[in-house]
Amino acid sequence: MTTETPADQNPAAETPEAGLPAGRRLPVTDVSLVVLIGSTGSGKSSFARKHFLPTQVVSSDFCRGLVSDDENDQSASADAFDVLHYVVGKRLAAGRLTVVDATNVQQHARRDLIALAREHNVLPIAIVLDVPAEVCAERNRARPDRQLPAHVIPRHQRDLRRSLRGLEREGFRKVHVLRGVEEIEHAEIVPEKRYNDLRHLTGPFDIVGDIHGCRSELETLLGRLGYAITRDDQGRPVDAAHPEGRTAVFVGDLVDRGPDSPGVLRLVMGMVAAGHALCVPGNHENKLGRWMDGRKVTVSHGLQETIDQLAGESEEFRAQVREFMRGLVSHYLLDGGALVVCHAGLPEKFHGRASGRVRSHALYGDTTGETDEYGLPVRYPWAEEYRGRALVVYGHTPVPVASFLNNTICLDTGCVFGGSLTALRYPEREIVGVPAEQEWYEPVRPLHQDAPGGREGRPLDLADVAGRRVVETGTLGNVAVREENAAAALEVMSRFALDPRLLAYLPPTMAPSPTSRREGLLEHPEEAFLAYRHDGVRQVICEEKHMGSRAVVLVARDDAALDKRFGLPGPGAIWTRTGRAFLSDEQLTGAILDRLRAAAEQSGLFDELDTGWLLVDAELMPWSLKAVDLLRRQYAAVGAAAGAALPAALDALAKAAARGLDVAELTGRQQERTADALAFTEAYRRYCWPTEGLDGIRLAPFQLLAAEGANLALRPHTEHLDLIDRLVVADHRLAEESGGGTPVLHRTGRMLVDTEDEASTAAAVAWWEELTGAGGEGMVVKPVEALQRDGSGRPVQPGLKVRGREYLRIIYGPDYIRRLDRLRQRSLAHKRSLAQREYALGLEALDRLAAGEPLWRVHEAVFAVLALESEPVDPRL
């Protein structure tokens, strides 16, 4: 006997082949709980080994051995089944096919397993091995390790006989009964997919929101989407196909309230039958289907209009409608699991699962148990807390405008209530809509709803960042964040950082070039060129390193552009590597942003990149603009102390020498220290100059990071600098036109280098020596292409900084040149690893921003960069 109750699994179960023993082919859903039922000696373990992977089978005997070292120790059964249920629960939670190998002949044993299946929303399937008692007894006698009392097998057989009558009533959705040794021997497990598993369909799709009988608007929308409509001999639409092979997907609520529910059904059913569309049920189809099946329902919310309209249709058409609605599946997984379509929304834990609870949520959503002022249930805002990877597209609750919320989107824009009919083009994420021709049905509740917490609902949550985390990146795979580092980042982010809606990117740290052995130098460009040549990188670009501080600039074309993308109107923001506002003076920040905005407008970059905002990586000068406290407390204090102490020491030594004491060696050392202190003071002062308003401030952009819908960071560095040169030229032109004002934007010097060409590298070394000889900081060497990999496929360093001798004096101390032998022992491995991980996280944040992913997804990668910054590494590197 084989009985089945379909519930969101593939209907195309294969039928037995001609001539094969009955009952041989046993359909088993790919994600389900299979419960083997049979008395001891019936061959359950052998059956499990033959048909399932060892990892899929959880055996009560094995669990008994785990807890007692004896698989036959019946006194350990209670603990053994605790272990069994725990392991089964973990596998089902992970969506794994799981087989329970135990006798399971008693109802109470099966009850716990069915409860587990329901808890994890998978199908429970029973496979019964009904073997004669004498065969079971003979098999047990042949096992020297298992000598059971005589009454055990007859008792199991009685329990099995009683069980066979009610397995379906207990909750098993499929029951396969194999009678006798031969039927068991010839049985074949046939894996089958769930009804809702259409991951092999990758689209492209056009997902249509709630229609509610608005056939004319549906035709208009399909036409706008590019579908060609086919009509029958009465002129009624019966199919629609897209010339490029796109597939329409309907989110349900095809019927009720509107003027032509039969017309909508005829068109959608025709498209589904022709393979041009998919459809999931809405709560209105569910209710209509129950009414058509003769079940008692309350005729309300527009159902009477549909009943009256169907009364004018043929019995054949009504029968087709009845069968169509019976075959609708609660939700679909599409595009490899990246897309979920359902009617009322679905949390991630329900994706691809099959149970009454999943179907109920997909049809009706969840409520808080309250009612609003209109007497309607208050929907639980599941989308505000959604953190799933799949895009969930749904309808059910009318909203005035379709918009993305935490990687979900509601397409019910109230067409029947006089709103519009909306579709989402996927994967383009383009929203297409047509207005309603009129208000067909007066809404009980007005079409105005705002998610609590604003545009993103509850966009961020402590659980998004707390504890140890692993962030997936497309560049470097998984990047781990330690719990203690996350705690340090949370302190910075919660107390000091800008509004996280704006923090789409934090720049990575940068590794220095390999340590140089040249006389008097710790870093030199040749080591950087050799490193990249070793990694197979031939073309690099050397960029001038400015005497300033790293700054990320988000500049908006206007307030509305920033509000549209980031949910926060304004001119933009400037922040540091730790996400803090670069300047405390908001007026000065606004003035810098105004100059950059004007330059972007003048140079045509906003139009060329088709964006209302730009994210820019830059250096802001002078250094003293941000680090004035550091200069006062650390660098100036060192210089002042040396200036006070060393002259006095030299004066005392001079007096001692005049008295005939031999202090020449000591005097020489003190003179060297004095020269070092003077050089130190001179070095840091080069990076400081007074400013007044914009006068004296220089912003040196060196990379365009992102624009609307685009991760620009992956473009070649030469292209970035060319675009930025246009900004600089535009700013200088605007400064001249304004009557001789001082330009703010500053050009970044650069030189292209062939690492395999001696003359090319020599020219770059000479340029570096010129820059550093004039007091400059040095340069950064980068592969021309933004993301390159070495021979093993691992990304190479995104950039190597080569700092000059005098700048390193600031970093390592006035007398560092006299300690070079010790400093050359510095370890760079951790710094290099940190630079690559932070770079990968930065690119991931920009990828997610460009893809329009929700704030929490972008913030996850940005926060991870900040967390890695608290890893213990020498800050001087």
Side-chain angles (χ1 to χ4, degrees):
M1 177 182 77
T2 299
T3 64
E4 298 182 34
T5 304
D8 288 8
Q9 75 276 2
N10 194 324
E14 300 181 47
T15 56
E17 297 177 10
L20 295 177
R24 181 185 177 200
R25 301 174 70 82
L26 311 181
V28 171
T29 309
D30 56 357
V31 178
S32 59
L33 175 62
V34 178
V35 179
L36 301 182
I37 302 172
S39 63
T40 181
S42 60
K44 298 180 300 301
S45 296
S46 299
F47 185 88
R49 282 194 298 271
K50 179 179 178 181
H51 296 288
F52 300 99
L53 297 174
T55 52
Q56 294 174 328
V57 180
V58 185
S59 162
S60 60
D61 288 344
F62 180 77
C63 293
R64 205 176 278 114
L66 281 178
V67 299
S68 70
D69 294 329
D70 182 358
E71 292 189 356
N72 297 314
D73 184 0
Q74 298 300 312
S75 67
S77 290
D79 289 338
F81 277 96
D82 283 345
V83 172
L84 183 145
H85 292 150
Y86 180 81
V87 174
V88 168
K90 288 296 184 182
R91 286 188 59 84
L92 296 182
R96 305 294 183 187
L97 173 67
T98 304
V99 180
V100 176
D101 175 14
T103 58
N104 295 315
V105 293
Q106 295 176 324
Q107 184 178 2
H108 70 84
R110 299 188 296 269
R111 184 187 306 119
D112 292 340
L113 295 173
I114 291 172
L116 273 173
R118 287 174 175 166
E119 178 185 348
H120 297 287
N121 304 291
V122 302
L123 300 179
I125 299 173
I127 299 180
V128 181
L129 276 58
D130 187 4
V131 176
E134 57 272 17
V135 174
C136 296
E138 179 60 31
R139 288 174 175 174
N140 277 294
R141 282 194 295 270
R143 291 185 58 179
D145 62 334
R146 180 174 295 182
Q147 298 301 319
L148 301 176
H151 69 275
V152 171
I153 292 176
R155 187 188 69 204
H156 284 180
Q157 292 283 318
R158 290 193 298 272
D159 290 339
L160 181 62
R161 298 273 83 75
R162 285 193 292 267
S163 298
L164 287 174
R165 294 191 294 268
L167 291 174
E168 295 92 342
R169 291 194 300 273
E170 291 178 20
F172 285 104
R173 304 299 291 272
K174 295 173 187 264
V175 178
H176 304 303
V177 180
L178 301 174
R179 302 189 187 278
V181 175
E182 183 177 355
E183 191 166 305
I184 294 171
E185 180 65 26
H186 288 91
E188 178 186 353
I189 298 297
V190 181
E192 65 175 14
K193 294 172 63 176
R194 293 148 285 164
Y195 272 174
N196 53 42
D197 185 0
L198 299 183
R199 287 174 293 178
H200 62 285
L201 300 181
T202 59
F205 301 108
D206 297 306
I207 309 166
V208 181
D210 300 38
I211 304 168
H212 282 297
C214 298
R215 179 206 32 89
S216 181
E217 287 89 339
L218 175 58
E219 288 189 49
T220 303
L221 178 62
L222 290 174
R224 182 166 295 181
L225 291 169
Y227 287 78
I229 296 177
T230 302
R231 301 180 184 275
D232 63 11
D233 54 7
Q234 299 181 49
R236 299 175 300 187
V238 293
D239 190 12
H242 199 284
E244 297 176 4
R246 300 180 69 92
T247 301
V249 186
F250 298 95
V251 304
D253 276 6
L254 309 174
V255 300
D256 294 351
R257 297 175 175 153
D260 191 4
S261 289
V264 172
L265 287 167
R266 183 175 288 106
L267 175 54
V268 172
M269 291 191 315
M271 294 177 69
V272 171
H276 299 146
L278 300 169
C279 184
V280 296
N283 56 301
H284 285 261
E285 281 77 51
N286 185 55
K287 193 172 186 180
L288 175 61
R290 287 186 289 129
W291 177 84
M292 296 185 79
D293 285 337
R295 298 165 66 180
K296 184 177 181 180
V297 298
T298 301
V299 179
S300 60
H301 301 296
L303 176 58
Q304 187 62 56
E305 285 85 345
T306 303
I307 293 173
D308 294 342
Q309 292 165 11
L310 284 173
E313 300 291 334
S314 67
E315 179 56 40
E316 179 184 6
F317 178 76
R318 289 195 295 270
Q320 291 172 351
V321 170
R322 189 181 303 113
E323 289 305 310
F324 174 72
M325 288 187 293
R326 285 175 179 171
L328 294 177
V329 180
S330 65
H331 69 287
Y332 283 126
L333 273 72
L334 300 162
D335 192 19
L339 174 64
V340 171
V341 178
C342 55
H343 178 63
L346 209 61
E348 188 176 33
K349 65 181 180 179
F350 291 158
H351 295 178
R353 301 304 176 103
S355 70
R357 178 166 53 220
V358 172
R359 186 173 180 84
S360 176
H361 199 294
L363 287 172
Y364 299 98
D366 198 3
T367 66
T368 64
E370 305 167 295
T371 55
D372 60 18
E373 64 269 32
Y374 305 100
L376 298 175
V378 177
R379 302 291 176 191
Y380 183 78
W382 67 274
E384 297 174 26
E385 301 171 356
Y386 181 70
R387 292 296 186 262
R389 295 298 176 86
L391 170 64
V392 180
V393 184
Y394 66 106
H396 187 55
T397 303
V399 294
V401 178
S403 60
F404 289 95
L405 171 63
N406 284 338
N407 213 22
T408 74
I409 185 168
C410 176
L411 296 182
D412 183 0
T413 48
C415 182
V416 76
F417 301 127
S420 61
L421 184 60
T422 299
L424 173 71
R425 290 168 57 86
Y426 176 94
E428 299 88 345
R429 287 187 173 231
E430 176 188 348
I431 297 172
V432 180
V434 297
E437 295 181 358
Q438 67 177 73
E439 183 183 284
W440 300 102
Y441 196 91
E442 184 179 358
V444 175
R445 178 168 49 201
L447 292 183
H448 58 83
Q449 281 186 292
D450 291 319
R455 189 180 74 127
E456 294 261 11
R458 300 185 184 109
L460 299 177
D461 189 272
L462 181 62
D464 295 335
V465 294
R468 185 183 185 278
R469 302 190 62 79
V470 174
V471 182
E472 294 180 16
T473 71
T475 304
L476 202 62
N478 292 340
V479 176
V481 177
R482 295 190 182 99
E483 181 176 3
E484 58 270 27
N485 295 340
L490 186 62
E491 171 78 3
V492 174
M493 191 65 73
S494 61
R495 295 182 59 189
F496 308 112
L498 288 176
D499 190 312
R501 286 176 289 181
L502 298 177
L503 287 178
Y505 179 81
L506 286 179
T509 190
M510 184 177 295
S513 65
T515 303
S516 175
R517 296 290 173 180
R518 288 170 172 78
E519 179 66 29
L521 294 175
L522 192 61
E523 296 176 8
H524 189 272
E526 190 60 45
E527 275 69 36
F529 300 147
L530 287 171
Y532 279 124
R533 187 163 67 213
H534 178 269
D535 288 336
V537 178
R538 181 164 182 171
Q539 294 293 325
V540 298
I541 187 167
C542 301
E543 296 179 8
E544 176 187 1
K545 206 169 188 307
H546 299 285
M547 300 184 292
S549 301
R550 192 77 170 266
V552 180
V553 185
L554 174 63
V555 60
R557 195 169 196 173
D558 53 50
D559 288 7
L562 206 68
D563 187 32
K564 180 180 179 182
R565 179 59 189 91
F566 298 93
L568 197 66
I574 307 174
W575 60 87
T576 68
R577 289 192 63 244
T578 55
R580 306 167 195 240
F582 196 103
L583 300 169
S584 58
D585 187 336
E586 293 185 7
Q587 187 174 356
L588 181 56
T589 299
I592 297 172
L593 290 171
D594 285 343
R595 292 296 292 267
L596 183 57
R597 179 193 300 109
E601 197 73 72
Q602 174 84 7
S603 63
L605 281 190
F606 282 134
D607 291 329
E608 183 175 323
L609 297 172
D610 191 22
T611 185
W613 54 270
L614 286 170
L615 192 63
V616 181
D617 208 350
E619 284 198 73
L620 191 55
M621 299 168 277
W623 190 28
S624 51
L625 195 63
K626 185 189 80 169
V628 62
D629 289 337
L630 179 67
L631 288 166
R632 185 182 300 115
R633 288 184 287 101
Q634 183 169 323
Y635 300 118
V638 171
L646 293 175
L650 287 172
D651 183 60
L653 288 169
K655 292 176 180 178
R659 293 198 306 270
L661 297 176
D662 184 9
V663 292
E665 182 180 352
L666 182 58
T667 299
R669 289 204 304 269
Q670 294 304 311
Q671 288 172 338
E672 289 176 349
R673 293 181 65 194
T674 301
D676 289 341
L678 290 173
F680 174 82
T681 302
E682 181 64 25
Y684 81 74
R685 281 179 175 170
R686 291 191 185 101
Y687 301 90
C688 311
W689 57 79
T691 63
E692 183 176 350
L694 282 179
D695 189 22
I697 290 179
R698 302 175 193 164
L699 180 70
F702 56 84
Q703 188 171 27
L704 299 177
L705 295 167
E708 185 62 52
N711 177 357
L712 303 177
L714 295 177
R715 295 187 177 188
H717 287 289
T718 49
E719 186 175 327
H720 285 285
L721 292 170
D722 287 345
L723 292 174
I724 288 168
D725 282 350
R726 288 166 51 186
L727 287 174
V728 175
V729 170
D731 180 59
H732 283 239
R733 185 185 305 119
L734 290 169
E736 292 176 5
E737 292 173 355
S738 65
T742 304
V744 172
L745 300 188
H746 187 71
R747 184 178 185 272
T748 294
R750 80 293 304 258
M751 178 178 288
L752 279 171
V753 176
D754 183 340
T755 60
E756 297 185 8
D757 183 271
E758 187 175 338
S760 180
T761 58
V765 169
W767 183 52
W768 177 81
E769 290 172 345
E770 179 186 345
L771 289 173
T772 57
E777 182 177 340
M779 67 187 186
V780 177
V781 183
K782 304 174 181 177
V784 171
E785 299 298 326
L787 181 61
Q788 292 201 33
R789 299 180 183 272
D790 60 20
S792 65
R794 184 175 179 82
V796 303
Q797 283 293 330
L800 293 172
K801 56 187 177 183
V802 188
R803 296 165 291 183
R805 172 180 168 133
E806 293 308 310
Y807 179 81
L808 288 173
R809 191 186 297 278
I810 305 172
I811 302 301
Y812 284 102
D815 60 345
Y816 88 102
I817 292 176
R818 310 187 195 289
R819 296 180 286 111
L820 279 181
D821 287 343
R822 187 172 65 185
L823 290 175
R824 285 178 176 136
Q825 307 305 313
R826 60 184 186 168
S827 174
L828 300 180
H830 191 178
K831 182 73 169 183
R832 290 170 177 165
S833 169
L834 192 62
Q836 286 191 315
R837 285 178 285 151
E838 291 186 7
Y839 179 66
L841 289 165
L843 289 181
E844 184 65 23
L846 296 176
D847 279 341
R848 296 178 182 185
L849 179 71
E853 295 198 37
L855 171 62
W856 75 269
R857 285 273 292 159
V858 178
H859 187 71
E860 179 186 42
V862 174
F863 185 90
V865 174
L866 186 59
L868 292 186
E869 277 296 295
S870 62
E871 285 193 5
V873 64
D874 187 346
R876 300 172 299 178
L877 294 176

